[in-house]
Amino acid sequence: MSDPIALWHTEHANFATLLDLLEGQLDLFHKGAPPDYELMLDIMFYMTHYPDVLHHPKEDLAFARIKERETSAGPIVDQLTEQHARLKRSGDALVVALDDIVNGSITLRDHVEAPGRDYIAAFRSHMQMEETAILPLAAKLLHDGDWAGIGAAMLQIDDPLFGKSSEPRYAALRRKIARATQATKAVTR
Ligand SMILES: [Fe+2]
Ligand SMILES: [Fe+2]
């Protein structure tokens, strides 16, 4: 896909799918049912190895160009940039918390439920702000040359879960996403 705004939006939709899956697991253990901690860990491993490593840093470069051309966007851009740092810290902490549970060193579900729900809410509201306030501005203000410059400044990493050559560690998560997508289609049919 070559349209950078469409790709940006697609990535948000992918992250939203993962946040829904993560929330579904938190709902399970809220009801007393056993959640799939490995799946939750795979989701958070991805969140801390793709959005935090590529999506957000790329946005930071786009934000800088937007701010240069539209000074009134400064406060929201600064807020979103700060949220990137906060999401990274809370995502990393959640990976450690899930790892503690998977390796058996901690067994309390509260160890992940509250931070998990906070992470989901913060990530959703972050994407909502970007979708409503930034993507339309980017479509108006950034041109092919900007995207080429942004692309050249970034590490060239393929999306390890939704990309063409997805990593084997995400095989179970991919199956889960495929089932969830099919179930959604069946409901909306
Ligand atoms: Fe962002
Ligand atoms: Fe984003």
Side-chain angles (χ1 to χ4, degrees), residues 8 12 55-56 59 126 130:
W8 199 344
H12 283 172
H55 181 90
H56 292 158
E59 285 177 339
H126 176 77
E130 288 177 343

Side-chain angles (χ1 to χ4, degrees), residues 29-172:
F29 69 28
H30 193 74
K31 287 184 229 153
D36 185 340
Y37 287 114
E38 299 274 0
L39 186 84
M40 293 165 79
L41 188 55
D42 283 345
I43 292 171
M44 287 314 301
F45 192 84
Y46 171 80
M47 295 307 262
T48 51
H49 285 81
Y50 187 74
D52 284 339
V53 173
L54 199 98
H55 181 90
H56 292 158
K58 191 173 173 184
E59 285 177 339
D60 290 336
L61 295 178
F63 291 172
R65 287 171 190 249
I66 290 170
K67 200 172 154 179
E68 256 171 41
R69 286 169 211 175
E70 181 70 64
T71 46
S72 66
I76 191 156
V77 159
D78 292 346
Q79 207 181 334
L80 289 166
T81 303
E82 206 272 316
Q83 287 175 5
H84 286 167
R86 232 181 309 156
L87 285 169
K88 177 164 177 17
R89 281 195 300 276
S90 52
D92 287 342
L94 198 49
V95 168
V96 172
L98 284 162
D99 217 21
D100 288 341
I101 290 191
V102 169
N103 71 30
S105 63
I106 291 187
T107 53
L108 295 171
R109 68 173 197 207
D110 278 355
H111 191 57
V112 291
E113 183 167 4
R117 292 200 188 277
D118 287 350
Y119 180 82
I120 291 166
F123 210 114
R124 281 178 179 157
S125 112
H126 176 77
M127 291 198 294
Q128 179 66 25
M129 275 172 79
E130 288 177 343
E131 287 283 335
T132 53
I134 295 294
L135 269 68
L137 265 187
K140 191 172 79 171
L141 299 173
L142 302 186
H143 308 294
D144 289 351
D146 293 303
W147 290 110
I150 291 167
M154 295 300 303
L155 285 172
Q156 299 306 309
I157 302 174
D158 192 26
D159 185 326
L161 172 61
F162 295 97
K164 284 189 203 90
S165 49
S166 46
E167 285 178 15
R169 80 159 283 155
Y170 296 118

